[in-house]
Amino acid sequence: MTNSPETGLLVVPRIKVQNANCISSPMTWGFPAITAFTGLMTALERKTHGHIGLQFLSVGVICHHFEAQVTQGGYTRAFRLTRNPVDKDGSTAAIVEEGRAHLEITLVFGVAGQGMAADPQHYAQMAQYCADTLATMRVAGGSVLPAKPGTRAFYQKPQLVSLGDSAEARHKIFRTLSRQWLPGFALVCRDDLLQARLEELQQTNPAASRLDAWLDLSSLQIKPLQQQGTDKVQWQARRPPGWLVPIPVGFGALSDPYEPGQVANARDPRVPFRFVESLYSIGQWLSPHRLEGHQQLLWYPVTLPGEGLYRCLNEFTVETSHI
Amino acid sequence: MADLESQSQKLRALIADFIQGRLATKLEKLAADDPKYALLTAQYQYDAWLESAARRVGQIQSVTHTLKAIHPDAKGSNLYVSPGTLTAHPLLGSHDLAGGFQADVVGNAAALDVYKFLKLTDERGNTLLELALADDAALKAALSKDATEAEQWLAAFASLLGSDGALASHPQAKQIYWLTGEDPGNDLHYQVLAPLYASSLAHEVFTRINQHRFGEEAKAAREARRNGHFHETGYCDYPNLAVQKLGGTKPQNISQLNSERGGNNYLLASLPPSWDTSLLSPPLKTDSVFKRFGRRPAVRQTVKALQGFLKAEPPKNLRTRETRFSLTSTLVDELLQFGAEFWELSPGWSQHPDCRLVEEEIFWLDPYRAKSDLDFAERRQQADWPQQIRERFANWLNAQLHKAGLPVGDPEFAQWQKEVKLDDDWRHWLKHLQQELDQLQKELSHD
């Protein structure tokens, strides 16, 4: 998978998003699900393709600022709710708790296609066109705000860059770009850690499940440490190294796909329909300068209809498995 | 035959007890001469209640995946998908419940008593629902003396797991377009995916987290900590755990399990690390930012962990090494982040009269000043400030380790490696630290 298909990167820096959906799945909250960004990517390609001929293959996200609209204090958080308008007939609408967050993010799209063959002099225009289009769209359900003059976001322009032919060139381009993404944190996928923890737990408890491993990696372990030679006990909070978080990564099938039109009230009667559930893994937030190349940053939507898997894949682990 | 007869009698007694029990709670608050009293007593006769139950069971459905949890106004299919039948793959999903799970119930909350009835367990440990599904002769005989009636009722109860008719989604349900073909521009290259709420899985997660919050063992461990005592296993916390309420004041409208949870659903946090830019002020009246760096919670925690780790002399294995490398790398990461945060201030902040930072730190922290201050730009260009920052960081880290009584002295560690016959483990770590420092310098010099 190291021969990545993208020939260019489109960077839309420091997008301010207001009221993005921060309930990312039925079991997680915080940063919007990565599928919200792959969906955005597809929508952006549909809107811009006729003008610039870029193919969008993958998307990476770097978070510069995150502010959730939740209550503080106490053991648990609750979502600050909005008062929603009443129904058509004036009765109160059902309460559906929605979580909101304000974000500042940089989006990096892996692109290819004949658009990259255009004169590089036009790259800046093409990038600006994409950024302007993006500004009219919903990002994870939130609206895009314009950057304030005098802030860094105002001076950083969207860029389209060609990745070049040699590994060395690609590396250099990525290095330069990734420094512009500081301060910030990129989200990468750690399926490997989930699997490793599962195997570790099974060494002491053969019945341990993936759910045990997932919860274990999502929690803060607080354990006592008996100091040698004394009866003094020191309690320590331990987290596995790295900023690890539970994340949804896509969907798993609950049924076979139904023929177009077979399921009533489907959004589109022309295409197959399938009932699915959210699937979860472990993600890691890390500083973008830690990434060795664009493949480590980017997420690819992958479909394995035979196995009923519709998920987003990131190659962070593939690249670092030698460490 | 005698065996069947006795089984059947036992089941009859079990059912009769259940019905009587429910009647008794209903009658508790009523006076004997209340007209409702007689009415209820009639309704809770054995045959009458079963007949009504067999009729009402159609109003509820046993499921593992629900729709109303997605939106209370959505009407459409709920599914019963046994976890064991799902594809096993390396992600977390309902298939991980193959070892055991609790099914949920959706439908008319007024028919939930039928579900309680079907969950009754006989002496062999089977629920009535399981017996109904197995077309159990003893249960059939227990339900009614009329064979046809018994047959019908049994079939009705067994239908609890069946689908509720034609498959449907709803405009209020989530429905996602997923590109399955090659061309995003082609409307037909998509599938519509309709995510349902994995109710059984969510319930299991809720139960486990509650066990970790309120269970006896967790309580004992928390108390041991308060009293400074030892505890065998310790406990765990879920930072920034959120509670999402489903169904508002009527959680039973969503589902049976949701009702049991009081409408509370736990959401685990995937928050990115964050800093509060509003708290960020220019570092004035100080000659170095490293003190401020050391006060960052993440840095303090990491330093503490590193000190503890090096002092405890952990076993020399891969895991130990990785933990140590990771801690060092975290510190270098933090330093880069920390520095970049000052870039968010308005350029030229270091020109403030109270700014007493050594110049290499200004070069590092206020790079955009070079855009307007040409003198500064030139000095910055000529100085080897990345190397100086690297040394300052190394010195700072040494000091932290020194405080913990660790034998680290020279900033470059090179001397150290010569003088002391280090064991492999330490040498590895020092080498890694050296690499991290080299990397740091490279990162800084790349403007």
mmCIF file of all heavy atoms in Angstrom, chain B residues 40-75:
data_model
loop_
_atom_site.group_PDB
_atom_site.id
_atom_site.type_symbol
_atom_site.label_atom_id
_atom_site.label_comp_id
_atom_site.label_asym_id
_atom_site.label_seq_id
_atom_site.Cartn_x
_atom_site.Cartn_y
_atom_site.Cartn_z
ATOM 1 N N LEU B 40 -60.566 -6.151 37.180
ATOM 2 C CA LEU B 40 -59.179 -6.606 37.139
ATOM 3 C C LEU B 40 -59.074 -8.091 37.444
ATOM 4 O O LEU B 40 -58.358 -8.834 36.780
ATOM 5 C CB LEU B 40 -58.336 -5.808 38.143
ATOM 6 C CG LEU B 40 -57.864 -4.430 37.656
ATOM 7 C CD1 LEU B 40 -57.237 -3.645 38.789
ATOM 8 C CD2 LEU B 40 -56.861 -4.592 36.511
ATOM 9 N N THR B 41 -59.824 -8.506 38.465
ATOM 10 C CA THR B 41 -59.772 -9.916 38.849
ATOM 11 C C THR B 41 -60.169 -10.797 37.663
ATOM 12 O O THR B 41 -59.550 -11.833 37.405
ATOM 13 C CB THR B 41 -60.709 -10.183 40.046
ATOM 14 O OG1 THR B 41 -60.501 -9.141 41.003
ATOM 15 C CG2 THR B 41 -60.405 -11.529 40.683
ATOM 16 N N ALA B 42 -61.154 -10.348 36.920
ATOM 17 C CA ALA B 42 -61.579 -11.117 35.747
ATOM 18 C C ALA B 42 -60.494 -11.136 34.672
ATOM 19 O O ALA B 42 -60.215 -12.168 34.061
ATOM 20 C CB ALA B 42 -62.873 -10.529 35.177
ATOM 21 N N GLN B 43 -59.871 -9.965 34.478
ATOM 22 C CA GLN B 43 -58.826 -9.875 33.447
ATOM 23 C C GLN B 43 -57.626 -10.754 33.770
ATOM 24 O O GLN B 43 -56.939 -11.227 32.867
ATOM 25 C CB GLN B 43 -58.331 -8.434 33.315
ATOM 26 C CG GLN B 43 -59.182 -7.574 32.418
ATOM 27 C CD GLN B 43 -58.756 -6.117 32.477
ATOM 28 O OE1 GLN B 43 -57.773 -5.779 33.138
ATOM 29 N NE2 GLN B 43 -59.494 -5.272 31.791
ATOM 30 N N TYR B 44 -57.369 -10.942 35.043
ATOM 31 C CA TYR B 44 -56.183 -11.693 35.435
ATOM 32 C C TYR B 44 -56.500 -13.144 35.756
ATOM 33 O O TYR B 44 -55.765 -13.802 36.490
ATOM 34 C CB TYR B 44 -55.467 -10.996 36.596
ATOM 35 C CG TYR B 44 -54.642 -9.813 36.100
ATOM 36 C CD1 TYR B 44 -55.233 -8.577 35.866
ATOM 37 C CD2 TYR B 44 -53.289 -9.962 35.821
ATOM 38 C CE1 TYR B 44 -54.502 -7.513 35.387
ATOM 39 C CE2 TYR B 44 -52.545 -8.903 35.341
ATOM 40 C CZ TYR B 44 -53.145 -7.679 35.125
ATOM 41 O OH TYR B 44 -52.421 -6.633 34.643
ATOM 42 N N GLN B 45 -57.602 -13.636 35.195
ATOM 43 C CA GLN B 45 -57.824 -15.076 35.228
ATOM 44 C C GLN B 45 -56.828 -15.713 34.264
ATOM 45 O O GLN B 45 -56.457 -15.100 33.255
ATOM 46 C CB GLN B 45 -59.266 -15.408 34.815
ATOM 47 C CG GLN B 45 -60.309 -15.041 35.861
ATOM 48 C CD GLN B 45 -59.965 -15.648 37.216
ATOM 49 O OE1 GLN B 45 -59.809 -16.859 37.344
ATOM 50 N NE2 GLN B 45 -59.847 -14.793 38.245
ATOM 51 N N TYR B 46 -56.414 -16.922 34.566
ATOM 52 C CA TYR B 46 -55.356 -17.579 33.801
ATOM 53 C C TYR B 46 -55.600 -17.525 32.283
ATOM 54 O O TYR B 46 -54.812 -16.965 31.523
ATOM 55 C CB TYR B 46 -55.252 -19.032 34.268
ATOM 56 C CG TYR B 46 -54.030 -19.768 33.782
ATOM 57 C CD1 TYR B 46 -52.846 -19.714 34.498
ATOM 58 C CD2 TYR B 46 -54.075 -20.525 32.629
ATOM 59 C CE1 TYR B 46 -51.719 -20.400 34.052
ATOM 60 C CE2 TYR B 46 -52.952 -21.204 32.176
ATOM 61 C CZ TYR B 46 -51.779 -21.139 32.893
ATOM 62 O OH TYR B 46 -50.672 -21.819 32.454
ATOM 63 N N ASP B 47 -56.753 -18.052 31.836
ATOM 64 C CA ASP B 47 -57.024 -18.117 30.402
ATOM 65 C C ASP B 47 -57.184 -16.735 29.785
ATOM 66 O O ASP B 47 -56.660 -16.454 28.712
ATOM 67 C CB ASP B 47 -58.290 -18.940 30.128
ATOM 68 C CG ASP B 47 -58.031 -20.412 30.401
ATOM 69 O OD1 ASP B 47 -56.832 -20.789 30.416
ATOM 70 O OD2 ASP B 47 -59.000 -21.158 30.606
ATOM 71 N N ALA B 48 -57.901 -15.888 30.514
ATOM 72 C CA ALA B 48 -58.178 -14.552 29.977
ATOM 73 C C ALA B 48 -56.881 -13.782 29.776
ATOM 74 O O ALA B 48 -56.666 -13.129 28.738
ATOM 75 C CB ALA B 48 -59.106 -13.785 30.919
ATOM 76 N N TRP B 49 -55.978 -13.869 30.771
ATOM 77 C CA TRP B 49 -54.732 -13.104 30.664
ATOM 78 C C TRP B 49 -53.882 -13.637 29.501
ATOM 79 O O TRP B 49 -53.328 -12.873 28.712
ATOM 80 C CB TRP B 49 -53.938 -13.158 31.972
ATOM 81 C CG TRP B 49 -52.792 -12.192 31.941
ATOM 82 C CD1 TRP B 49 -52.833 -10.874 32.295
ATOM 83 C CD2 TRP B 49 -51.454 -12.447 31.475
ATOM 84 N NE1 TRP B 49 -51.611 -10.273 32.077
ATOM 85 C CE2 TRP B 49 -50.742 -11.223 31.582
ATOM 86 C CE3 TRP B 49 -50.792 -13.571 30.984
ATOM 87 C CZ2 TRP B 49 -49.398 -11.090 31.209
ATOM 88 C CZ3 TRP B 49 -49.453 -13.439 30.617
ATOM 89 C CH2 TRP B 49 -48.770 -12.221 30.730
ATOM 90 N N LEU B 50 -53.791 -14.961 29.402
ATOM 91 C CA LEU B 50 -52.976 -15.534 28.327
ATOM 92 C C LEU B 50 -53.522 -15.164 26.951
ATOM 93 O O LEU B 50 -52.765 -14.874 26.017
ATOM 94 C CB LEU B 50 -52.916 -17.054 28.463
ATOM 95 C CG LEU B 50 -51.888 -17.584 29.458
ATOM 96 C CD1 LEU B 50 -51.933 -19.112 29.487
ATOM 97 C CD2 LEU B 50 -50.484 -17.107 29.097
ATOM 98 N N GLU B 51 -54.838 -15.139 26.853
ATOM 99 C CA GLU B 51 -55.432 -14.809 25.565
ATOM 100 C C GLU B 51 -55.059 -13.371 25.177
ATOM 101 O O GLU B 51 -54.647 -13.099 24.048
ATOM 102 C CB GLU B 51 -56.953 -14.955 25.633
ATOM 103 C CG GLU B 51 -57.577 -14.885 24.260
ATOM 104 C CD GLU B 51 -59.079 -14.668 24.306
ATOM 105 O OE1 GLU B 51 -59.675 -14.725 25.399
ATOM 106 O OE2 GLU B 51 -59.644 -14.415 23.229
ATOM 107 N N SER B 52 -55.189 -12.499 26.169
ATOM 108 C CA SER B 52 -54.845 -11.098 25.895
ATOM 109 C C SER B 52 -53.353 -10.965 25.595
ATOM 110 O O SER B 52 -52.939 -10.221 24.705
ATOM 111 C CB SER B 52 -55.278 -10.232 27.079
ATOM 112 O OG SER B 52 -54.206 -9.445 27.529
ATOM 113 N N ALA B 53 -52.534 -11.723 26.324
ATOM 114 C CA ALA B 53 -51.088 -11.660 26.099
ATOM 115 C C ALA B 53 -50.742 -12.130 24.693
ATOM 116 O O ALA B 53 -49.924 -11.518 24.001
ATOM 117 C CB ALA B 53 -50.348 -12.501 27.135
ATOM 118 N N ALA B 54 -51.371 -13.189 24.247
ATOM 119 C CA ALA B 54 -51.088 -13.721 22.912
ATOM 120 C C ALA B 54 -51.500 -12.717 21.848
ATOM 121 O O ALA B 54 -50.886 -12.630 20.783
ATOM 122 C CB ALA B 54 -51.832 -15.039 22.702
ATOM 123 N N ARG B 55 -52.517 -11.939 22.155
ATOM 124 C CA ARG B 55 -52.970 -10.907 21.227
ATOM 125 C C ARG B 55 -51.982 -9.724 21.244
ATOM 126 O O ARG B 55 -51.580 -9.209 20.215
ATOM 127 C CB ARG B 55 -54.368 -10.443 21.637
ATOM 128 C CG ARG B 55 -55.076 -9.575 20.632
ATOM 129 C CD ARG B 55 -56.595 -9.498 20.906
ATOM 130 N NE ARG B 55 -56.984 -9.736 22.296
ATOM 131 C CZ ARG B 55 -56.911 -8.813 23.257
ATOM 132 N NH1 ARG B 55 -56.455 -7.610 23.005
ATOM 133 N NH2 ARG B 55 -57.290 -9.111 24.503
ATOM 134 N N ARG B 56 -51.578 -9.360 22.452
ATOM 135 C CA ARG B 56 -50.757 -8.153 22.580
ATOM 136 C C ARG B 56 -49.289 -8.369 22.198
ATOM 137 O O ARG B 56 -48.562 -7.410 21.970
ATOM 138 C CB ARG B 56 -50.860 -7.615 24.006
ATOM 139 C CG ARG B 56 -52.242 -7.004 24.309
ATOM 140 C CD ARG B 56 -52.298 -6.433 25.699
ATOM 141 N NE ARG B 56 -52.058 -7.469 26.707
ATOM 142 C CZ ARG B 56 -51.221 -7.326 27.727
ATOM 143 N NH1 ARG B 56 -50.550 -6.206 27.872
ATOM 144 N NH2 ARG B 56 -51.050 -8.302 28.579
ATOM 145 N N VAL B 57 -48.856 -9.613 22.154
ATOM 146 C CA VAL B 57 -47.435 -9.850 21.867
ATOM 147 C C VAL B 57 -47.066 -9.291 20.491
ATOM 148 O O VAL B 57 -45.921 -8.916 20.233
ATOM 149 C CB VAL B 57 -47.071 -11.351 21.998
ATOM 150 C CG1 VAL B 57 -47.670 -12.166 20.864
ATOM 151 C CG2 VAL B 57 -45.563 -11.531 22.034
ATOM 152 N N GLY B 58 -48.060 -9.169 19.615
ATOM 153 C CA GLY B 58 -47.807 -8.587 18.291
ATOM 154 C C GLY B 58 -47.416 -7.121 18.365
ATOM 155 O O GLY B 58 -46.886 -6.573 17.394
ATOM 156 N N GLN B 59 -47.687 -6.481 19.504
ATOM 157 C CA GLN B 59 -47.365 -5.051 19.627
ATOM 158 C C GLN B 59 -45.918 -4.809 20.038
ATOM 159 O O GLN B 59 -45.464 -3.673 20.059
ATOM 160 C CB GLN B 59 -48.283 -4.387 20.656
ATOM 161 C CG GLN B 59 -49.744 -4.449 20.265
ATOM 162 C CD GLN B 59 -50.643 -3.989 21.397
ATOM 163 O OE1 GLN B 59 -50.177 -3.460 22.395
ATOM 164 N NE2 GLN B 59 -51.939 -4.201 21.239
ATOM 165 N N ILE B 60 -45.242 -5.872 20.424
ATOM 166 C CA ILE B 60 -43.839 -5.695 20.807
ATOM 167 C C ILE B 60 -42.965 -6.651 20.011
ATOM 168 O O ILE B 60 -43.457 -7.601 19.411
ATOM 169 C CB ILE B 60 -43.599 -5.930 22.323
ATOM 170 C CG1 ILE B 60 -44.112 -7.319 22.705
ATOM 171 C CG2 ILE B 60 -44.243 -4.843 23.140
ATOM 172 C CD1 ILE B 60 -43.720 -7.729 24.086
ATOM 173 N N GLN B 61 -41.685 -6.351 20.023
ATOM 174 C CA GLN B 61 -40.764 -7.148 19.242
ATOM 175 C C GLN B 61 -39.442 -7.197 19.986
ATOM 176 O O GLN B 61 -39.001 -6.192 20.543
ATOM 177 C CB GLN B 61 -40.582 -6.451 17.895
ATOM 178 C CG GLN B 61 -39.976 -7.313 16.828
ATOM 179 C CD GLN B 61 -39.448 -6.465 15.690
ATOM 180 O OE1 GLN B 61 -39.721 -5.262 15.602
ATOM 181 N NE2 GLN B 61 -38.679 -7.078 14.823
ATOM 182 N N SER B 62 -38.828 -8.355 19.998
ATOM 183 C CA SER B 62 -37.516 -8.475 20.623
ATOM 184 C C SER B 62 -36.452 -8.196 19.564
ATOM 185 O O SER B 62 -36.497 -8.762 18.474
ATOM 186 C CB SER B 62 -37.344 -9.884 21.185
ATOM 187 O OG SER B 62 -36.066 -9.998 21.757
ATOM 188 N N VAL B 63 -35.525 -7.302 19.882
ATOM 189 C CA VAL B 63 -34.550 -6.861 18.880
ATOM 190 C C VAL B 63 -33.164 -6.683 19.494
ATOM 191 O O VAL B 63 -33.018 -6.638 20.718
ATOM 192 C CB VAL B 63 -34.957 -5.503 18.257
ATOM 193 C CG1 VAL B 63 -36.255 -5.618 17.491
ATOM 194 C CG2 VAL B 63 -35.057 -4.431 19.326
ATOM 195 N N THR B 64 -32.186 -6.572 18.637
ATOM 196 C CA THR B 64 -30.836 -6.213 19.092
ATOM 197 C C THR B 64 -30.458 -4.819 18.586
ATOM 198 O O THR B 64 -29.550 -4.195 19.098
ATOM 199 C CB THR B 64 -29.789 -7.205 18.543
ATOM 200 O OG1 THR B 64 -29.954 -7.285 17.125
ATOM 201 C CG2 THR B 64 -29.945 -8.571 19.163
ATOM 202 N N HIS B 65 -31.149 -4.381 17.526
ATOM 203 C CA HIS B 65 -30.836 -3.083 16.919
ATOM 204 C C HIS B 65 -32.112 -2.282 16.742
ATOM 205 O O HIS B 65 -33.059 -2.763 16.127
ATOM 206 C CB HIS B 65 -30.149 -3.284 15.573
ATOM 207 C CG HIS B 65 -28.781 -3.866 15.698
ATOM 208 N ND1 HIS B 65 -28.567 -5.204 15.921
ATOM 209 C CD2 HIS B 65 -27.558 -3.283 15.661
ATOM 210 C CE1 HIS B 65 -27.258 -5.421 16.017
ATOM 211 N NE2 HIS B 65 -26.618 -4.276 15.855
ATOM 212 N N THR B 66 -32.128 -1.073 17.297
ATOM 213 C CA THR B 66 -33.366 -0.302 17.328
ATOM 214 C C THR B 66 -33.261 0.971 16.495
ATOM 215 O O THR B 66 -32.183 1.478 16.217
ATOM 216 C CB THR B 66 -33.730 0.103 18.769
ATOM 217 O OG1 THR B 66 -32.767 1.056 19.225
ATOM 218 C CG2 THR B 66 -33.746 -1.098 19.689
ATOM 219 N N LEU B 67 -34.416 1.470 16.115
ATOM 220 C CA LEU B 67 -34.482 2.677 15.304
ATOM 221 C C LEU B 67 -34.835 3.904 16.138
ATOM 222 O O LEU B 67 -34.289 4.986 15.934
ATOM 223 C CB LEU B 67 -35.534 2.473 14.203
ATOM 224 C CG LEU B 67 -35.754 3.654 13.267
ATOM 225 C CD1 LEU B 67 -34.475 4.026 12.547
ATOM 226 C CD2 LEU B 67 -36.836 3.326 12.246
ATOM 227 N N LYS B 68 -35.723 3.737 17.116
ATOM 228 C CA LYS B 68 -36.188 4.902 17.854
ATOM 229 C C LYS B 68 -35.073 5.591 18.646
ATOM 230 O O LYS B 68 -35.170 6.766 18.959
ATOM 231 C CB LYS B 68 -37.337 4.513 18.787
ATOM 232 C CG LYS B 68 -38.679 4.436 18.058
ATOM 233 C CD LYS B 68 -39.808 4.790 19.003
ATOM 234 C CE LYS B 68 -41.176 4.637 18.362
ATOM 235 N NZ LYS B 68 -41.296 5.282 17.070
ATOM 236 N N ALA B 69 -34.009 4.838 18.975
ATOM 237 C CA ALA B 69 -32.887 5.463 19.672
ATOM 238 C C ALA B 69 -32.189 6.469 18.760
ATOM 239 O O ALA B 69 -31.546 7.399 19.223
ATOM 240 C CB ALA B 69 -31.899 4.403 20.141
ATOM 241 N N ILE B 70 -32.316 6.277 17.461
ATOM 242 C CA ILE B 70 -31.731 7.224 16.505
ATOM 243 C C ILE B 70 -32.589 8.489 16.478
ATOM 244 O O ILE B 70 -32.078 9.598 16.523
ATOM 245 C CB ILE B 70 -31.676 6.602 15.080
ATOM 246 C CG1 ILE B 70 -30.946 5.271 15.096
ATOM 247 C CG2 ILE B 70 -31.111 7.596 14.071
ATOM 248 C CD1 ILE B 70 -29.464 5.315 14.963
ATOM 249 N N HIS B 71 -33.898 8.315 16.395
ATOM 250 C CA HIS B 71 -34.819 9.451 16.476
ATOM 251 C C HIS B 71 -36.177 8.940 16.955
ATOM 252 O O HIS B 71 -36.737 8.035 16.345
ATOM 253 C CB HIS B 71 -34.952 10.134 15.112
ATOM 254 C CG HIS B 71 -35.567 11.493 15.204
ATOM 255 N ND1 HIS B 71 -36.884 11.683 15.570
ATOM 256 C CD2 HIS B 71 -35.048 12.728 15.006
ATOM 257 C CE1 HIS B 71 -37.143 12.989 15.583
ATOM 258 N NE2 HIS B 71 -36.036 13.635 15.252
ATOM 259 N N PRO B 72 -36.730 9.536 18.021
ATOM 260 C CA PRO B 72 -37.959 9.004 18.605
ATOM 261 C C PRO B 72 -39.163 9.055 17.664
ATOM 262 O O PRO B 72 -40.130 8.318 17.860
ATOM 263 C CB PRO B 72 -38.198 9.884 19.835
ATOM 264 C CG PRO B 72 -37.170 10.940 19.825
ATOM 265 C CD PRO B 72 -36.168 10.665 18.765
ATOM 266 N N ASP B 73 -39.111 9.916 16.665
ATOM 267 C CA ASP B 73 -40.234 9.997 15.733
ATOM 268 C C ASP B 73 -40.107 9.029 14.566
ATOM 269 O O ASP B 73 -41.010 8.926 13.741
ATOM 270 C CB ASP B 73 -40.365 11.422 15.165
ATOM 271 C CG ASP B 73 -40.907 12.384 16.202
ATOM 272 O OD1 ASP B 73 -41.481 11.903 17.207
ATOM 273 O OD2 ASP B 73 -40.750 13.606 16.023
ATOM 274 N N ALA B 74 -38.973 8.365 14.458
ATOM 275 C CA ALA B 74 -38.758 7.478 13.312
ATOM 276 C C ALA B 74 -39.573 6.199 13.484
ATOM 277 O O ALA B 74 -39.585 5.590 14.549
ATOM 278 C CB ALA B 74 -37.280 7.156 13.176
ATOM 279 N N LYS B 75 -40.256 5.830 12.429
ATOM 280 C CA LYS B 75 -40.994 4.561 12.435
ATOM 281 C C LYS B 75 -40.429 3.725 11.296
ATOM 282 O O LYS B 75 -40.373 4.186 10.162
ATOM 283 C CB LYS B 75 -42.479 4.812 12.195
ATOM 284 C CG LYS B 75 -43.138 5.594 13.317
ATOM 285 C CD LYS B 75 -44.587 5.937 12.946
ATOM 286 C CE LYS B 75 -45.178 6.897 13.954
ATOM 287 N NZ LYS B 75 -44.671 8.281 13.744
#
